[in-house]
Amino acid sequence: MTVTLPDGTKLDLPAGATGADAAGAIGEGLLRAALAVKWDGEVHDLSAPLPDGVALEIITQRSGQDALDLVRHDTAHVLAAAMLELYPGVKISIGPAIDDGFYYDFEFPEGVTFTDADFPAVEKKMKEHVKADEAFLREDVTTAEALERFKGEDQPYKVELIEDLIANTGVETVSLYTNGPFTDLCRGPHAPSTKRIGAFKLQSVAGAYWRGDSNRTQLTRVYGTAFFDKKELAAHLELLEEAKKRDHRKLGRELGLYHFSEAAPGSAFWTPAGTTVFNQLVELSREMGDTRGYAEVKTPQLFDAELWKKSGHWDKYQEDMFLTQTGDDRPMGFKPMNCPGHFELYGLTKWSYKDLPVRFSEPGLLHRNELSGALHGLMRVRHFCQDDAHLFVTEDQLLDEITACIAFARDTYALFGFTDEDIKYELSTRPENRLGTDEFWDQAEGILADALKANGIAYEIGEGGGAFYAPKIDFHFTDSLKRSWQLGTVQLDYQAPERFDLTYTGADNAEHRPVVLHRALMGSYERFIGILLEHTAGELPFWLTPVQAIVLPIADRHADAAREAAATLKAAGLRVEVDERTESVGRKIRDAELRKVPYMLVVGDREAEDGTVAVRRHREGDEGSEPVADVAARLADVSASRSA
């Protein structure tokens, strides 16, 4: 048999050769470093037999996320092994690797309360398993054997998982992995042994309902992370500490931007300062959309159930919607997205090919029935507003319009200092639960791929990440703490025009179907503000910050001159305050620094007499004295250009 290595080299191996055989054939050093192998986009154990003719990659600790996922999955199993030893009778459920680490869910025996104070004892036991260099051994057994085993061990969650596999897929065998005394139901893959785990840390404890169902048992979820060496772990933990300082929920309180209340769970109460930030973003969307041919519309909040059935949301998305009914028992639903309202609006007008493309935008208020446990500050809310748009275009216009959407996204992100190096493009493809035929998805995914290639954009594939009605291009941003966030999206939809019977009259006087592009660039304004706060540590761009300058009179006798200076800045279009408290100017400066006000303008005797202000910039200190009019003109230019 023959496999192809990443550099194109052909490697001949005996029939039935494994990943370990391939690594050994290349060199003993690689065999010692090898963790797993990868082909056809999937990672497999080193012990897995290789198919003939595949393109093969040997996974080592230098293989990025694939390697980290392995070591973190390994560590989750080690955590479960330690828990079983320390807490006899504990029930284990699932323990996957996640973006920054891993977790495992447990049901502890009655009377046992597990907290982070228990971490040292668990970590000590885990280190024993790592030091023991326990091999991860895979065994494929019949479902009957697996059921018998886990019933005998009194592990009901494993039993339920196996029974569901049998019922839903008809599988006859499952795989088990054993490390030391612990055996788990697991698809794998795993590294060869526990000793490949270089460094780990348990981080937090949370509650989690079994299978996300609030009617089921609440389990204890233990989060942790793992790396190949202590230096990497230390660097990661340092970033986490910085992330705590930058938590947008903390910054939102400190900067006085918004609050949350149980009077409206999952919905922000915006203060005047926060509303200023919010409105600046909405205004940015409007300005940039207006020059690009977008027309703002306004559609209702509440729609008849028939509209949601027509769009497909009633079947595919109903559990995430807030539902109600009219006095005559007519079922209604609050909109979780703007799309169906825009489709209905388009359908209420007769359009010609000369009118297309039609570009509707709407900063529409949306509601989604998120689980209480999923709510997270501005990042996951029930009430929010999107910079949403829908484009109705002809087939011939598709490539140009997708290209224009990508350019619009790049121009928008640049205003916040996000460069192309910060943005990753992902083509998100068909999910399992979807509308439409495979032919439709092939066509739509192909068009989006062609648009990315035509614009010279390198992209990754997000398998199964598309919306239930359409594939999409997603824009991912890497922030200052090296975390990835999805921001905007462009979705190509052939389903909606069919379901809503949308048409336009062509040059041949016949009726034709438009194609719909769904486009959002910031996503929800709430979430975008949360991301910005954490990325900038609360130091928003000058043009966006709620108070751009604060005038600080040194004494009461300077108050009139300070007010006059503030009036000059306001007349130039700047957002400015005067701090007239009877505090020392040093205290006023300190408080303005804590509020992260970009400019502090001090007025004393000389400034009051000369019509100047002593300019002090946040975190940078004194910049000297300038005439008030010059400061106003300079800062107004910076604000208007959104250049800082």
Side-chain angles (χ1 to χ4, degrees):
M1 63 179 293
T2 302
V3 297
T4 304
L5 301 178
D7 64 359
T9 302
K10 302 291 184 182
L11 182 65
D12 293 323
L13 298 166
T18 66
D21 294 328
I26 297 170
E28 285 300 315
L30 181 59
L31 178 58
R32 287 192 296 272
L35 300 169
V37 288
K38 185 176 185 178
W39 69 81
D40 292 341
E42 292 189 11
V43 180
H44 302 267
D45 294 332
L46 276 177
S47 60
L50 301 176
D52 188 19
V54 296
L56 184 69
E57 178 185 352
I58 309 295
I59 302 296
T60 70
Q61 68 180 64
R62 296 182 178 180
S63 298
Q65 195 62 45
D66 284 334
L68 284 174
D69 288 344
L70 276 168
V71 75
R72 288 165 178 172
H73 191 184
D74 294 349
T75 312
H77 279 234
V78 169
L79 168 62
M83 287 294 201
L84 282 169
E85 290 181 294
L86 293 171
Y87 300 93
V90 69
K91 307 293 189 293
I92 60 175
S93 60
I94 57 172
I98 54 178
D99 285 347
D100 291 324
F102 62 89
Y103 69 80
Y104 218 115
D105 289 346
F106 303 95
E107 181 189 346
F108 286 92
E110 188 173 351
V112 175
T113 301
F114 186 85
T115 70
D116 55 8
D118 299 303
F119 285 174
V122 178
E123 289 175 340
K124 180 180 178 182
K125 180 62 68 174
M126 292 172 68
K127 288 175 182 175
E128 292 175 9
H129 286 279
V130 172
K131 186 177 180 180
D133 195 15
E134 297 166 351
F136 283 100
L137 302 174
R138 179 184 173 116
E139 181 183 9
D140 291 298
V141 302
T142 67
T143 51
E145 291 174 300
L147 283 171
E148 181 180 2
R149 176 182 190 121
F150 288 114
K151 285 178 180 177
E153 294 178 358
D154 193 21
Q155 293 294 341
Y157 299 108
K158 300 300 178 182
V159 171
E160 182 178 329
L161 289 170
I162 296 168
E163 289 175 341
D164 283 356
L165 280 172
I166 296 170
N168 296 331
T169 67
V171 297
E172 296 180 354
T173 63
V174 292
S175 55
L176 308 180
Y177 279 82
T178 299
N179 56 289
F182 174 58
T183 298
D184 202 1
L185 173 72
C186 179
R187 289 179 299 181
H190 283 279
S193 78
T194 58
K195 203 165 187 179
R196 301 302 181 95
I197 301 169
F200 63 86
K201 180 73 175 173
L202 299 183
Q203 296 172 288
S204 62
V205 178
Y209 291 109
W210 172 233
R211 295 191 152 180
D213 184 346
S214 59
N215 295 314
R216 305 292 300 273
T217 305
Q218 186 172 45
L219 306 175
T220 299
R221 177 167 293 179
V222 180
Y223 286 98
T225 193
F227 289 86
F228 290 101
D229 62 51
K230 293 180 179 179
K231 185 177 179 180
E232 288 178 325
L233 175 62
H236 177 74
L237 295 177
E238 187 177 337
L239 279 179
L240 290 181
E241 284 303 310
E242 181 63 25
K244 287 181 183 178
K245 298 176 187 175
R246 294 173 177 234
D247 189 316
H248 72 281
R249 295 168 296 181
K250 175 176 176 287
L251 290 171
R253 290 192 303 272
E254 292 174 353
L255 300 177
L257 300 178
Y258 55 84
H259 303 285
F260 285 94
S261 167
E262 282 304 305
S267 304
F269 288 74
W270 293 92
T271 66
T275 302
T276 296
V277 175
F278 194 99
N279 288 343
Q280 287 294 311
L281 293 179
V282 175
E283 183 58 30
L284 172 67
S285 297
R286 284 178 170 144
E287 285 182 20
M288 297 184 76
D290 184 61
T291 61
R292 290 166 171 82
Y294 287 81
E296 186 171 328
V297 299
K298 188 173 178 62
T299 57
Q301 282 287 296
L302 193 60
F303 290 99
D304 188 283
E306 292 304 313
L307 180 93
W308 301 116
K309 291 175 183 177
K310 188 187 296 186
S311 68
H313 289 88
W314 199 256
D315 292 331
K316 305 288 186 183
Y317 205 79
Q318 186 179 160
E319 64 183 23
D320 296 308
M321 294 172 62
F322 286 104
L323 305 177
T324 186
Q325 59 187 32
T326 62
D328 55 358
D329 294 333
R330 187 177 180 181
M332 308 283 284
F334 288 91
K335 64 180 179 182
M337 62 276 298
N338 292 306
C339 334
H342 288 189
F343 303 153
E344 187 72 12
L345 178 60
Y346 178 93
L348 294 173
T349 300
K350 190 168 181 62
W351 302 93
S352 161
Y353 72 97
K354 295 179 181 179
D355 300 314
L356 270 60
V358 171
R359 306 180 187 93
F360 288 160
S361 66
E362 180 177 11
L365 298 176
L366 306 174
H367 292 82
R368 294 183 185 172
N369 191 12
E370 301 283 1
L371 293 172
S372 296
L375 298 175
H376 181 72
L378 297 178
M379 304 301 194
R380 197 75 175 265
V381 290
R382 289 175 174 158
H383 167 85
F384 59 99
C385 181
Q386 282 187 326
D387 67 329
D388 210 4
H390 294 89
L391 292 72
F392 303 85
V393 307
T394 68
E395 287 279 356
D396 292 343
Q397 295 166 339
L398 265 177
L399 183 58
D400 287 344
E401 289 300 313
I402 295 170
T403 294
C405 287
I406 293 171
F408 195 169
R410 284 172 153 168
D411 290 346
T412 299
Y413 301 149
L415 293 173
F416 302 93
F418 306 166
T419 67
D420 273 350
E421 292 181 358
D422 301 317
I423 303 299
K424 180 184 75 176
Y425 299 84
E426 184 174 75
L427 175 56
S428 298
T429 59
R430 68 198 75 182
E432 288 187 17
N433 185 19
R434 62 181 182 268
L435 298 174
T437 64
D438 286 342
E439 290 76 18
F440 149 72
W441 286 89
D442 289 341
Q443 179 184 5
E445 289 168 4
I447 291 170
L448 291 179
D450 289 344
L452 287 165
K453 292 171 186 173
N455 284 278
I457 294 173
Y459 63 93
E460 298 179 4
I461 298 293
E463 292 288 350
F468 71 83
Y469 50 82
K472 52 184 181 163
I473 297 170
D474 290 328
F475 306 98
H476 294 264
F477 162 64
T478 301
D479 72 5
S480 57
L481 297 181
K482 301 178 182 178
R483 300 171 303 181
S484 180
W485 304 91
Q486 183 191 326
L487 296 181
T489 186
V490 178
Q491 304 171 1
L492 174 56
D493 187 357
Y494 283 94
Q495 296 289 326
E498 291 290 338
R499 297 175 77 91
F500 282 80
D501 192 25
L502 305 181
T503 62
Y504 67 90
T505 303
D508 57 1
N509 285 323
E511 296 294 295
H512 299 270
R513 290 266 185 253
V515 185
V516 170
L517 292 174
H518 305 244
R519 188 239 67 196
L521 304 182
M522 298 183 210
S524 83
Y525 292 110
E526 285 82 354
R527 183 171 175 272
F528 191 76
I529 290 170
I531 293 170
L532 272 183
L533 287 172
E534 296 195 1
H535 173 61
T536 64
E539 297 181 10
L540 297 172
F542 176 71
W543 62 270
L544 186 58
T545 193
V547 178
Q548 296 171 305
I550 187 165
V551 186
L552 310 177
I554 292 177
D556 288 346
R557 65 180 180 274
H558 308 125
D560 287 342
R563 293 189 204 105
E564 290 176 11
T568 300
L569 269 71
K570 286 180 180 178
L574 295 161
R575 298 183 292 278
V576 61
E577 291 181 0
V578 179
D579 186 347
E580 297 190 45
R581 295 177 300 161
T582 57
E583 300 283 356
S584 69
V585 72
R587 174 62 183 271
K588 292 179 181 180
I589 289 172
R590 177 180 176 275
D591 290 346
E593 287 282 354
L594 291 174
R595 291 177 62 191
K596 305 183 190 297
V597 178
Y599 286 92
M600 287 143 272
L601 310 178
V602 180
V603 177
D605 288 336
R606 184 191 309 169
E607 289 81 15
E609 182 177 343
D610 297 345
T612 61
V613 288
V615 180
R616 181 182 181 88
R617 191 163 185 176
H618 171 58
R619 289 201 308 121
E620 295 183 16
D622 295 330
E623 294 187 342
S625 293
E626 287 184 61
V628 174
D630 291 355
V631 174
R634 175 167 63 86
L635 297 186
D637 284 345
V638 173
S639 184
S641 66
R642 297 189 175 102
S643 58

